[in-house]
Amino acid sequence: MTEETLAHAAAAARDGDVDTLSAVLARSPKVVTAFDTDGRTLLDLACRAATGNIAIPLDPGTPGQHAAVDLILRAGSNPSAADNNSWTPLHTAGMAGHSDLARRLLVAGASPRTDAYGKAGGSPLAYALFYAKAYMGKVLTPPYPDNLRTAAGLGNDLGNFIKGNELTPDAYFGLDFYAPEFFPTWSRTFARQEVIDEALTWAARNNQCEAMAVLVGIGAEVNANPFRGTPLLWACYSDKVEAATWLLDHGADPDLRHDWGGEGHGVDAVAMHLAAQHNCVGCLSLLLDRGADAAILDGAYGGTPAGWAEYGGAADALEILRRWFK
């Protein structure tokens, strides 16, 4: 079995060409156990293709691409096979927010407890919650890692992690993972304040207002920026209007500048920039109604929210901002 055979099969899966893929599998059945130089199997490559290469926002993929995934699974591919970075097909489904793909992988025997990049807690569910996809918790059960941050993101009872005003040891379990690898390095302290502030950002991006209230009640700060984004900015990134409203009602500063996202992405950005770029019209309208500065400049490019909307191809947000200035 040659590298060319794997590449040929992967191309057929990418194109949703089930007939060609079937022919390759019949001719070279061992292709399902082969891997490329990154340690990726045919199933891994097919799942990446079916998710638009783990696209955010969600790329649904084509019926042919998903049929290719199912064909590879039926051919005996190991759904838990990890690449050189311990990344599995289920991580791809989780991060991309593909609940049906995740369900099919789990039925085939995929493990939801694999930690990517050697970081404890770097599970498929953790990647899903990081990107505001709490609905993946209905598929990736039971929750792993089961800690304060995960429970806050899912809107689960926080009682196992908070006793009185203190955190239990379980609250800290699996916090080595904090973001995808292309984010800057975070020198964590694992201090109580850091842990509850981070949990608040995960609750906010996943619209879990009850969890937010509990966390603020034990001292989480609504304007804290534990790692690459305040709760308000994350809520606006994912257009969670209820969470953003709650934060503003409880003292969040809509014009607070800070760095957000991946390396060099949002230098001195504010919630308006992210809401505009990602066409989050609900939060954009909310921020305008609450007096946010519609002409504020970011620190890297001197870009206004309208400039960010134009750059992101966010036509609806751009129209709202243009009408605002008329």
Side-chain angles (χ1 to χ4, degrees), residues 32-34 39-48 69-83 86-94 100-115 124 140:
V32 296
T33 60
R40 296 173 181 173
T41 63
L42 178 59
L43 179 62
D44 183 317
L45 297 169
C47 288
R48 290 172 185 268
V69 169
D70 294 337
L71 178 60
I72 295 165
L73 286 170
R74 289 196 301 272
S77 183
N78 177 6
S80 294
D83 70 10
S86 301
W87 187 271
T88 69
L90 199 57
H91 282 94
T92 292
D100 185 63
L101 175 59
R103 189 175 294 109
R104 284 145 51 208
L105 290 167
L106 289 167
V107 168
S111 172
R113 298 177 66 88
T114 303
D115 294 328
L140 299 169

mmCIF file of all heavy atoms in Angstrom, residues 32-34 39-48 69-83 86-94 100-115 124 140:
data_model
loop_
_atom_site.group_PDB
_atom_site.id
_atom_site.type_symbol
_atom_site.label_atom_id
_atom_site.label_comp_id
_atom_site.label_asym_id
_atom_site.label_seq_id
_atom_site.Cartn_x
_atom_site.Cartn_y
_atom_site.Cartn_z
ATOM 1 N N VAL A 32 -7.353 1.633 4.969
ATOM 2 C CA VAL A 32 -8.046 2.208 6.133
ATOM 3 C C VAL A 32 -7.156 2.213 7.372
ATOM 4 O O VAL A 32 -7.458 2.911 8.351
ATOM 5 C CB VAL A 32 -9.366 1.465 6.441
ATOM 6 C CG1 VAL A 32 -10.349 1.628 5.299
ATOM 7 C CG2 VAL A 32 -9.116 0.015 6.772
ATOM 8 N N THR A 33 -6.077 1.457 7.370
ATOM 9 C CA THR A 33 -5.159 1.447 8.514
ATOM 10 C C THR A 33 -3.883 2.223 8.228
ATOM 11 O O THR A 33 -3.020 2.341 9.107
ATOM 12 C CB THR A 33 -4.791 0.005 8.904
ATOM 13 O OG1 THR A 33 -4.157 -0.642 7.798
ATOM 14 C CG2 THR A 33 -6.031 -0.775 9.320
ATOM 15 N N ALA A 34 -3.761 2.750 7.028
ATOM 16 C CA ALA A 34 -2.578 3.533 6.675
ATOM 17 C C ALA A 34 -2.681 4.934 7.258
ATOM 18 O O ALA A 34 -3.758 5.394 7.645
ATOM 19 C CB ALA A 34 -2.443 3.605 5.161
ATOM 20 N N GLY A 39 0.440 11.403 10.567
ATOM 21 C CA GLY A 39 -0.228 10.382 11.356
ATOM 22 C C GLY A 39 -1.720 10.331 11.137
ATOM 23 O O GLY A 39 -2.447 9.694 11.913
ATOM 24 N N ARG A 40 -2.207 10.976 10.091
ATOM 25 C CA ARG A 40 -3.645 11.030 9.852
ATOM 26 C C ARG A 40 -4.093 9.847 9.002
ATOM 27 O O ARG A 40 -3.501 9.548 7.968
ATOM 28 C CB ARG A 40 -4.016 12.343 9.158
ATOM 29 C CG ARG A 40 -3.729 13.561 10.017
ATOM 30 C CD ARG A 40 -3.926 14.862 9.266
ATOM 31 N NE ARG A 40 -3.625 15.998 10.123
ATOM 32 C CZ ARG A 40 -3.583 17.257 9.705
ATOM 33 N NH1 ARG A 40 -3.817 17.549 8.420
ATOM 34 N NH2 ARG A 40 -3.307 18.229 10.559
ATOM 35 N N THR A 41 -5.156 9.202 9.444
ATOM 36 C CA THR A 41 -5.731 8.085 8.711
ATOM 37 C C THR A 41 -6.682 8.592 7.628
ATOM 38 O O THR A 41 -7.028 9.780 7.571
ATOM 39 C CB THR A 41 -6.512 7.168 9.650
ATOM 40 O OG1 THR A 41 -7.620 7.908 10.202
ATOM 41 C CG2 THR A 41 -5.625 6.650 10.778
ATOM 42 N N LEU A 42 -7.128 7.671 6.813
ATOM 43 C CA LEU A 42 -8.111 8.017 5.789
ATOM 44 C C LEU A 42 -9.380 8.562 6.423
ATOM 45 O O LEU A 42 -9.979 9.525 5.926
ATOM 46 C CB LEU A 42 -8.421 6.789 4.935
ATOM 47 C CG LEU A 42 -9.475 6.955 3.835
ATOM 48 C CD1 LEU A 42 -9.069 8.048 2.843
ATOM 49 C CD2 LEU A 42 -9.702 5.624 3.122
ATOM 50 N N LEU A 43 -9.805 7.972 7.547
ATOM 51 C CA LEU A 43 -10.997 8.467 8.238
ATOM 52 C C LEU A 43 -10.783 9.883 8.735
ATOM 53 O O LEU A 43 -11.671 10.740 8.605
ATOM 54 C CB LEU A 43 -11.344 7.547 9.407
ATOM 55 C CG LEU A 43 -12.555 7.969 10.239
ATOM 56 C CD1 LEU A 43 -13.819 7.987 9.388
ATOM 57 C CD2 LEU A 43 -12.729 7.035 11.440
ATOM 58 N N ASP A 44 -9.645 10.152 9.321
ATOM 59 C CA ASP A 44 -9.319 11.502 9.780
ATOM 60 C C ASP A 44 -9.420 12.487 8.623
ATOM 61 O O ASP A 44 -10.068 13.545 8.729
ATOM 62 C CB ASP A 44 -7.904 11.505 10.362
ATOM 63 C CG ASP A 44 -7.475 12.850 10.950
ATOM 64 O OD1 ASP A 44 -7.739 13.890 10.330
ATOM 65 O OD2 ASP A 44 -6.837 12.859 12.004
ATOM 66 N N LEU A 45 -8.801 12.158 7.506
ATOM 67 C CA LEU A 45 -8.805 13.057 6.347
ATOM 68 C C LEU A 45 -10.210 13.246 5.796
ATOM 69 O O LEU A 45 -10.583 14.358 5.394
ATOM 70 C CB LEU A 45 -7.869 12.502 5.272
ATOM 71 C CG LEU A 45 -6.384 12.411 5.678
ATOM 72 C CD1 LEU A 45 -5.613 11.603 4.650
ATOM 73 C CD2 LEU A 45 -5.782 13.803 5.840
ATOM 74 N N ALA A 46 -11.001 12.176 5.807
ATOM 75 C CA ALA A 46 -12.372 12.278 5.307
ATOM 76 C C ALA A 46 -13.232 13.144 6.215
ATOM 77 O O ALA A 46 -14.064 13.938 5.743
ATOM 78 C CB ALA A 46 -12.978 10.889 5.175
ATOM 79 N N CYS A 47 -13.041 13.022 7.525
ATOM 80 C CA CYS A 47 -13.809 13.849 8.467
ATOM 81 C C CYS A 47 -13.428 15.322 8.344
ATOM 82 O O CYS A 47 -14.286 16.207 8.438
ATOM 83 C CB CYS A 47 -13.599 13.356 9.894
ATOM 84 S SG CYS A 47 -14.415 11.782 10.263
ATOM 85 N N ARG A 48 -12.154 15.578 8.140
ATOM 86 C CA ARG A 48 -11.737 16.962 7.918
ATOM 87 C C ARG A 48 -12.401 17.529 6.673
ATOM 88 O O ARG A 48 -12.886 18.674 6.664
ATOM 89 C CB ARG A 48 -10.211 17.041 7.806
ATOM 90 C CG ARG A 48 -9.473 16.796 9.113
ATOM 91 C CD ARG A 48 -7.972 16.686 8.922
ATOM 92 N NE ARG A 48 -7.294 16.340 10.166
ATOM 93 C CZ ARG A 48 -6.808 17.216 11.035
ATOM 94 N NH1 ARG A 48 -6.917 18.507 10.791
ATOM 95 N NH2 ARG A 48 -6.212 16.817 12.142
ATOM 96 N N VAL A 69 -17.337 9.127 4.603
ATOM 97 C CA VAL A 69 -16.977 8.828 5.991
ATOM 98 C C VAL A 69 -17.610 7.510 6.427
ATOM 99 O O VAL A 69 -16.945 6.636 7.016
ATOM 100 C CB VAL A 69 -17.421 9.972 6.927
ATOM 101 C CG1 VAL A 69 -17.286 9.553 8.391
ATOM 102 C CG2 VAL A 69 -16.609 11.227 6.658
ATOM 103 N N ASP A 70 -18.904 7.349 6.134
ATOM 104 C CA ASP A 70 -19.602 6.136 6.553
ATOM 105 C C ASP A 70 -19.036 4.902 5.858
ATOM 106 O O ASP A 70 -18.934 3.823 6.472
ATOM 107 C CB ASP A 70 -21.094 6.270 6.262
ATOM 108 C CG ASP A 70 -21.756 7.345 7.111
ATOM 109 O OD1 ASP A 70 -21.213 7.679 8.182
ATOM 110 O OD2 ASP A 70 -22.808 7.858 6.697
ATOM 111 N N LEU A 71 -18.661 5.039 4.603
ATOM 112 C CA LEU A 71 -18.073 3.928 3.872
ATOM 113 C C LEU A 71 -16.747 3.505 4.501
ATOM 114 O O LEU A 71 -16.472 2.303 4.661
ATOM 115 C CB LEU A 71 -17.862 4.333 2.410
ATOM 116 C CG LEU A 71 -17.209 3.296 1.483
ATOM 117 C CD1 LEU A 71 -18.037 2.027 1.424
ATOM 118 C CD2 LEU A 71 -17.027 3.885 0.085
ATOM 119 N N ILE A 72 -15.949 4.470 4.884
ATOM 120 C CA ILE A 72 -14.653 4.181 5.515
ATOM 121 C C ILE A 72 -14.858 3.511 6.870
ATOM 122 O O ILE A 72 -14.128 2.574 7.237
ATOM 123 C CB ILE A 72 -13.828 5.474 5.646
ATOM 124 C CG1 ILE A 72 -13.485 6.012 4.248
ATOM 125 C CG2 ILE A 72 -12.553 5.237 6.445
ATOM 126 C CD1 ILE A 72 -12.994 7.443 4.251
ATOM 127 N N LEU A 73 -15.859 3.950 7.621
ATOM 128 C CA LEU A 73 -16.164 3.306 8.895
ATOM 129 C C LEU A 73 -16.601 1.857 8.686
ATOM 130 O O LEU A 73 -16.158 0.950 9.413
ATOM 131 C CB LEU A 73 -17.252 4.088 9.635
ATOM 132 C CG LEU A 73 -16.828 5.408 10.277
ATOM 133 C CD1 LEU A 73 -18.048 6.181 10.751
ATOM 134 C CD2 LEU A 73 -15.871 5.155 11.444
ATOM 135 N N ARG A 74 -17.447 1.628 7.701
ATOM 136 C CA ARG A 74 -17.901 0.260 7.434
ATOM 137 C C ARG A 74 -16.748 -0.631 6.978
ATOM 138 O O ARG A 74 -16.772 -1.854 7.175
ATOM 139 C CB ARG A 74 -19.005 0.261 6.377
ATOM 140 C CG ARG A 74 -20.329 0.834 6.851
ATOM 141 C CD ARG A 74 -21.471 0.467 5.918
ATOM 142 N NE ARG A 74 -21.250 0.943 4.556
ATOM 143 C CZ ARG A 74 -21.613 2.141 4.112
ATOM 144 N NH1 ARG A 74 -22.206 3.004 4.949
ATOM 145 N NH2 ARG A 74 -21.401 2.496 2.860
ATOM 146 N N ALA A 75 -15.738 -0.007 6.389
ATOM 147 C CA ALA A 75 -14.581 -0.774 5.918
ATOM 148 C C ALA A 75 -13.650 -1.169 7.053
ATOM 149 O O ALA A 75 -12.655 -1.871 6.825
ATOM 150 C CB ALA A 75 -13.823 0.027 4.866
ATOM 151 N N GLY A 76 -13.954 -0.728 8.264
ATOM 152 C CA GLY A 76 -13.182 -1.175 9.420
ATOM 153 C C GLY A 76 -12.183 -0.192 9.973
ATOM 154 O O GLY A 76 -11.327 -0.566 10.791
ATOM 155 N N SER A 77 -12.279 1.077 9.600
ATOM 156 C CA SER A 77 -11.352 2.064 10.137
ATOM 157 C C SER A 77 -11.553 2.247 11.634
ATOM 158 O O SER A 77 -12.687 2.192 12.134
ATOM 159 C CB SER A 77 -11.554 3.406 9.427
ATOM 160 O OG SER A 77 -10.629 4.365 9.885
ATOM 161 N N ASN A 78 -10.464 2.447 12.341
ATOM 162 C CA ASN A 78 -10.526 2.674 13.787
ATOM 163 C C ASN A 78 -10.956 4.115 14.053
ATOM 164 O O ASN A 78 -10.192 5.048 13.792
ATOM 165 C CB ASN A 78 -9.155 2.411 14.411
ATOM 166 C CG ASN A 78 -9.123 2.695 15.905
ATOM 167 O OD1 ASN A 78 -10.154 2.986 16.520
ATOM 168 N ND2 ASN A 78 -7.941 2.622 16.495
ATOM 169 N N PRO A 79 -12.152 4.354 14.609
ATOM 170 C CA PRO A 79 -12.627 5.733 14.794
ATOM 171 C C PRO A 79 -11.885 6.496 15.877
ATOM 172 O O PRO A 79 -12.016 7.715 15.977
ATOM 173 C CB PRO A 79 -14.100 5.548 15.163
ATOM 174 C CG PRO A 79 -14.149 4.199 15.798
ATOM 175 C CD PRO A 79 -13.144 3.367 15.061
ATOM 176 N N SER A 80 -11.096 5.780 16.700
ATOM 177 C CA SER A 80 -10.334 6.441 17.760
ATOM 178 C C SER A 80 -8.872 6.642 17.398
ATOM 179 O O SER A 80 -8.101 7.144 18.232
ATOM 180 C CB SER A 80 -10.425 5.627 19.057
ATOM 181 O OG SER A 80 -11.749 5.614 19.550
ATOM 182 N N ALA A 81 -8.483 6.274 16.187
ATOM 183 C CA ALA A 81 -7.085 6.429 15.792
ATOM 184 C C ALA A 81 -6.703 7.904 15.814
ATOM 185 O O ALA A 81 -7.380 8.747 15.225
ATOM 186 C CB ALA A 81 -6.858 5.844 14.406
ATOM 187 N N ALA A 82 -5.606 8.217 16.508
ATOM 188 C CA ALA A 82 -5.171 9.605 16.680
ATOM 189 C C ALA A 82 -3.960 9.890 15.805
ATOM 190 O O ALA A 82 -3.160 8.997 15.507
ATOM 191 C CB ALA A 82 -4.827 9.867 18.142
ATOM 192 N N ASP A 83 -3.810 11.149 15.405
ATOM 193 C CA ASP A 83 -2.661 11.534 14.602
ATOM 194 C C ASP A 83 -1.462 11.821 15.501
ATOM 195 O O ASP A 83 -1.467 11.521 16.697
ATOM 196 C CB ASP A 83 -2.996 12.708 13.678
ATOM 197 C CG ASP A 83 -3.214 14.035 14.417
ATOM 198 O OD1 ASP A 83 -2.935 14.119 15.633
ATOM 199 O OD2 ASP A 83 -3.658 14.999 13.771
ATOM 200 N N SER A 86 -2.245 13.503 18.720
ATOM 201 C CA SER A 86 -3.321 12.883 19.498
ATOM 202 C C SER A 86 -4.696 13.444 19.134
ATOM 203 O O SER A 86 -5.640 13.378 19.935
ATOM 204 C CB SER A 86 -3.081 13.044 21.015
ATOM 205 O OG SER A 86 -1.857 12.446 21.393
ATOM 206 N N TRP A 87 -4.793 13.998 17.950
ATOM 207 C CA TRP A 87 -6.072 14.512 17.440
ATOM 208 C C TRP A 87 -6.834 13.378 16.773
ATOM 209 O O TRP A 87 -6.272 12.617 15.982
ATOM 210 C CB TRP A 87 -5.814 15.629 16.437
ATOM 211 C CG TRP A 87 -7.040 16.351 15.962
ATOM 212 C CD1 TRP A 87 -7.825 16.032 14.897
ATOM 213 C CD2 TRP A 87 -7.622 17.525 16.533
ATOM 214 N NE1 TRP A 87 -8.858 16.920 14.767
ATOM 215 C CE2 TRP A 87 -8.758 17.852 15.756
ATOM 216 C CE3 TRP A 87 -7.274 18.328 17.625
ATOM 217 C CZ2 TRP A 87 -9.554 18.954 16.035
ATOM 218 C CZ3 TRP A 87 -8.079 19.422 17.909
ATOM 219 C CH2 TRP A 87 -9.196 19.739 17.121
ATOM 220 N N THR A 88 -8.118 13.250 17.074
ATOM 221 C CA THR A 88 -8.937 12.180 16.527
ATOM 222 C C THR A 88 -10.046 12.752 15.638
ATOM 223 O O THR A 88 -10.358 13.950 15.705
ATOM 224 C CB THR A 88 -9.589 11.358 17.655
ATOM 225 O OG1 THR A 88 -10.570 12.179 18.320
ATOM 226 C CG2 THR A 88 -8.542 10.877 18.652
ATOM 227 N N PRO A 89 -10.685 11.886 14.846
ATOM 228 C CA PRO A 89 -11.843 12.363 14.082
ATOM 229 C C PRO A 89 -12.926 12.980 14.949
ATOM 230 O O PRO A 89 -13.620 13.905 14.519
ATOM 231 C CB PRO A 89 -12.322 11.079 13.381
ATOM 232 C CG PRO A 89 -11.087 10.268 13.202
ATOM 233 C CD PRO A 89 -10.296 10.512 14.461
ATOM 234 N N LEU A 90 -13.074 12.480 16.181
ATOM 235 C CA LEU A 90 -14.087 13.048 17.064
ATOM 236 C C LEU A 90 -13.725 14.462 17.499
ATOM 237 O O LEU A 90 -14.615 15.295 17.725
ATOM 238 C CB LEU A 90 -14.275 12.141 18.284
ATOM 239 C CG LEU A 90 -15.573 12.321 19.077
ATOM 240 C CD1 LEU A 90 -16.793 12.136 18.187
ATOM 241 C CD2 LEU A 90 -15.623 11.328 20.240
ATOM 242 N N HIS A 91 -12.448 14.776 17.614
ATOM 243 C CA HIS A 91 -12.044 16.161 17.855
ATOM 244 C C HIS A 91 -12.491 17.055 16.694
ATOM 245 O O HIS A 91 -12.957 18.182 16.904
ATOM 246 C CB HIS A 91 -10.527 16.265 18.010
ATOM 247 C CG HIS A 91 -10.020 15.840 19.348
ATOM 248 N ND1 HIS A 91 -9.578 14.568 19.606
ATOM 249 C CD2 HIS A 91 -9.887 16.524 20.524
ATOM 250 C CE1 HIS A 91 -9.187 14.480 20.872
ATOM 251 N NE2 HIS A 91 -9.362 15.660 21.452
ATOM 252 N N THR A 92 -12.309 16.547 15.484
ATOM 253 C CA THR A 92 -12.735 17.313 14.312
ATOM 254 C C THR A 92 -14.226 17.603 14.375
ATOM 255 O O THR A 92 -14.665 18.743 14.175
ATOM 256 C CB THR A 92 -12.388 16.538 13.029
ATOM 257 O OG1 THR A 92 -10.962 16.496 12.884
ATOM 258 C CG2 THR A 92 -12.999 17.191 11.799
ATOM 259 N N ALA A 93 -15.024 16.580 14.667
ATOM 260 C CA ALA A 93 -16.471 16.765 14.749
ATOM 261 C C ALA A 93 -16.844 17.721 15.872
ATOM 262 O O ALA A 93 -17.725 18.579 15.713
ATOM 263 C CB ALA A 93 -17.154 15.417 14.958
ATOM 264 N N GLY A 94 -16.163 17.608 17.014
ATOM 265 C CA GLY A 94 -16.483 18.467 18.148
ATOM 266 C C GLY A 94 -16.171 19.920 17.886
ATOM 267 O O GLY A 94 -17.008 20.799 18.089
ATOM 268 N N ASP A 100 -24.118 15.281 14.176
ATOM 269 C CA ASP A 100 -24.452 14.007 13.536
ATOM 270 C C ASP A 100 -23.195 13.205 13.231
ATOM 271 O O ASP A 100 -23.156 11.988 13.434
ATOM 272 C CB ASP A 100 -25.254 14.236 12.257
ATOM 273 C CG ASP A 100 -25.710 12.926 11.629
ATOM 274 O OD1 ASP A 100 -26.483 12.201 12.284
ATOM 275 O OD2 ASP A 100 -25.279 12.609 10.503
ATOM 276 N N LEU A 101 -22.149 13.870 12.762
ATOM 277 C CA LEU A 101 -20.888 13.184 12.503
ATOM 278 C C LEU A 101 -20.338 12.602 13.808
ATOM 279 O O LEU A 101 -19.876 11.454 13.847
ATOM 280 C CB LEU A 101 -19.879 14.144 11.878
ATOM 281 C CG LEU A 101 -18.463 13.600 11.664
ATOM 282 C CD1 LEU A 101 -18.475 12.372 10.768
ATOM 283 C CD2 LEU A 101 -17.558 14.694 11.073
ATOM 284 N N ALA A 102 -20.386 13.374 14.870
ATOM 285 C CA ALA A 102 -19.913 12.884 16.170
ATOM 286 C C ALA A 102 -20.708 11.663 16.606
ATOM 287 O O ALA A 102 -20.139 10.676 17.099
ATOM 288 C CB ALA A 102 -20.015 13.984 17.221
ATOM 289 N N ARG A 103 -22.001 11.707 16.398
ATOM 290 C CA ARG A 103 -22.854 10.587 16.801
ATOM 291 C C ARG A 103 -22.477 9.324 16.021
ATOM 292 O O ARG A 103 -22.381 8.226 16.601
ATOM 293 C CB ARG A 103 -24.318 10.946 16.560
ATOM 294 C CG ARG A 103 -25.312 9.961 17.129
ATOM 295 C CD ARG A 103 -26.738 10.445 16.952
ATOM 296 N NE ARG A 103 -26.997 11.647 17.746
ATOM 297 C CZ ARG A 103 -27.164 12.862 17.231
ATOM 298 N NH1 ARG A 103 -27.065 13.058 15.926
ATOM 299 N NH2 ARG A 103 -27.420 13.894 18.007
ATOM 300 N N ARG A 104 -22.238 9.468 14.736
ATOM 301 C CA ARG A 104 -21.871 8.303 13.923
ATOM 302 C C ARG A 104 -20.512 7.732 14.346
ATOM 303 O O ARG A 104 -20.312 6.515 14.373
ATOM 304 C CB ARG A 104 -21.859 8.689 12.441
ATOM 305 C CG ARG A 104 -23.251 8.809 11.854
ATOM 306 C CD ARG A 104 -23.399 9.901 10.813
ATOM 307 N NE ARG A 104 -22.397 9.852 9.781
ATOM 308 C CZ ARG A 104 -21.992 10.942 9.106
ATOM 309 N NH1 ARG A 104 -22.498 12.134 9.401
ATOM 310 N NH2 ARG A 104 -21.103 10.822 8.153
ATOM 311 N N LEU A 105 -19.590 8.605 14.681
ATOM 312 C CA LEU A 105 -18.281 8.147 15.140
ATOM 313 C C LEU A 105 -18.394 7.421 16.477
ATOM 314 O O LEU A 105 -17.750 6.387 16.696
ATOM 315 C CB LEU A 105 -17.320 9.332 15.263
ATOM 316 C CG LEU A 105 -16.880 9.974 13.943
ATOM 317 C CD1 LEU A 105 -16.201 11.320 14.203
ATOM 318 C CD2 LEU A 105 -15.927 9.052 13.178
ATOM 319 N N LEU A 106 -19.231 7.932 17.371
ATOM 320 C CA LEU A 106 -19.423 7.290 18.667
ATOM 321 C C LEU A 106 -20.074 5.914 18.510
ATOM 322 O O LEU A 106 -19.678 4.954 19.190
ATOM 323 C CB LEU A 106 -20.268 8.184 19.579
ATOM 324 C CG LEU A 106 -19.577 9.457 20.089
ATOM 325 C CD1 LEU A 106 -20.599 10.405 20.701
ATOM 326 C CD2 LEU A 106 -18.499 9.104 21.109
ATOM 327 N N VAL A 107 -21.054 5.822 17.645
ATOM 328 C CA VAL A 107 -21.698 4.526 17.386
ATOM 329 C C VAL A 107 -20.671 3.518 16.877
ATOM 330 O O VAL A 107 -20.718 2.326 17.212
ATOM 331 C CB VAL A 107 -22.855 4.686 16.379
ATOM 332 C CG1 VAL A 107 -23.335 3.333 15.874
ATOM 333 C CG2 VAL A 107 -24.017 5.447 17.023
ATOM 334 N N ALA A 108 -19.704 4.007 16.101
ATOM 335 C CA ALA A 108 -18.659 3.135 15.571
ATOM 336 C C ALA A 108 -17.590 2.801 16.606
ATOM 337 O O ALA A 108 -16.685 2.003 16.329
ATOM 338 C CB ALA A 108 -18.006 3.788 14.354
ATOM 339 N N GLY A 109 -17.671 3.418 17.787
ATOM 340 C CA GLY A 109 -16.744 3.084 18.859
ATOM 341 C C GLY A 109 -15.714 4.132 19.209
ATOM 342 O O GLY A 109 -14.772 3.866 19.960
ATOM 343 N N ALA A 110 -15.851 5.359 18.696
ATOM 344 C CA ALA A 110 -14.882 6.417 18.989
ATOM 345 C C ALA A 110 -14.887 6.746 20.476
ATOM 346 O O ALA A 110 -15.936 6.773 21.122
ATOM 347 C CB ALA A 110 -15.195 7.664 18.177
ATOM 348 N N SER A 111 -13.701 7.030 21.008
ATOM 349 C CA SER A 111 -13.591 7.416 22.418
ATOM 350 C C SER A 111 -13.667 8.930 22.564
ATOM 351 O O SER A 111 -12.917 9.655 21.898
ATOM 352 C CB SER A 111 -12.256 6.936 22.996
ATOM 353 O OG SER A 111 -12.075 7.469 24.302
ATOM 354 N N PRO A 112 -14.550 9.430 23.442
ATOM 355 C CA PRO A 112 -14.637 10.881 23.675
ATOM 356 C C PRO A 112 -13.641 11.382 24.710
ATOM 357 O O PRO A 112 -13.658 12.548 25.069
ATOM 358 C CB PRO A 112 -16.070 11.061 24.165
ATOM 359 C CG PRO A 112 -16.351 9.788 24.908
ATOM 360 C CD PRO A 112 -15.608 8.701 24.166
ATOM 361 N N ARG A 113 -12.753 10.510 25.178
ATOM 362 C CA ARG A 113 -11.862 10.871 26.281
ATOM 363 C C ARG A 113 -10.408 11.007 25.845
ATOM 364 O O ARG A 113 -9.485 10.906 26.663
ATOM 365 C CB ARG A 113 -11.969 9.830 27.401
ATOM 366 C CG ARG A 113 -13.366 9.752 28.013
ATOM 367 C CD ARG A 113 -13.441 8.650 29.072
ATOM 368 N NE ARG A 113 -12.605 8.951 30.216
ATOM 369 C CZ ARG A 113 -12.989 9.662 31.275
ATOM 370 N NH1 ARG A 113 -14.213 10.174 31.326
ATOM 371 N NH2 ARG A 113 -12.157 9.871 32.283
ATOM 372 N N THR A 114 -10.162 11.255 24.590
ATOM 373 C CA THR A 114 -8.802 11.458 24.101
ATOM 374 C C THR A 114 -8.410 12.922 24.252
ATOM 375 O O THR A 114 -9.170 13.820 23.872
ATOM 376 C CB THR A 114 -8.686 11.052 22.625
ATOM 377 O OG1 THR A 114 -9.092 9.686 22.483
ATOM 378 C CG2 THR A 114 -7.273 11.200 22.127
ATOM 379 N N ASP A 115 -7.218 13.185 24.777
ATOM 380 C CA ASP A 115 -6.724 14.545 24.988
ATOM 381 C C ASP A 115 -5.750 14.914 23.873
ATOM 382 O O ASP A 115 -4.684 14.304 23.750
ATOM 383 C CB ASP A 115 -6.015 14.655 26.344
ATOM 384 C CG ASP A 115 -6.957 14.454 27.510
ATOM 385 O OD1 ASP A 115 -8.131 14.825 27.388
ATOM 386 O OD2 ASP A 115 -6.517 13.913 28.545
ATOM 387 N N PRO A 124 -12.719 16.299 22.706
ATOM 388 C CA PRO A 124 -13.645 16.819 21.696
ATOM 389 C C PRO A 124 -14.671 17.787 22.287
ATOM 390 O O PRO A 124 -14.994 18.817 21.678
ATOM 391 C CB PRO A 124 -14.302 15.553 21.144
ATOM 392 C CG PRO A 124 -13.250 14.501 21.305
ATOM 393 C CD PRO A 124 -12.588 14.828 22.613
ATOM 394 N N LEU A 140 -21.765 14.295 23.163
ATOM 395 C CA LEU A 140 -20.507 13.921 23.806
ATOM 396 C C LEU A 140 -20.729 13.770 25.310
ATOM 397 O O LEU A 140 -20.338 14.603 26.116
ATOM 398 C CB LEU A 140 -19.436 14.970 23.499
ATOM 399 C CG LEU A 140 -19.120 15.136 22.006
ATOM 400 C CD1 LEU A 140 -18.251 16.367 21.769
ATOM 401 C CD2 LEU A 140 -18.432 13.883 21.465
#
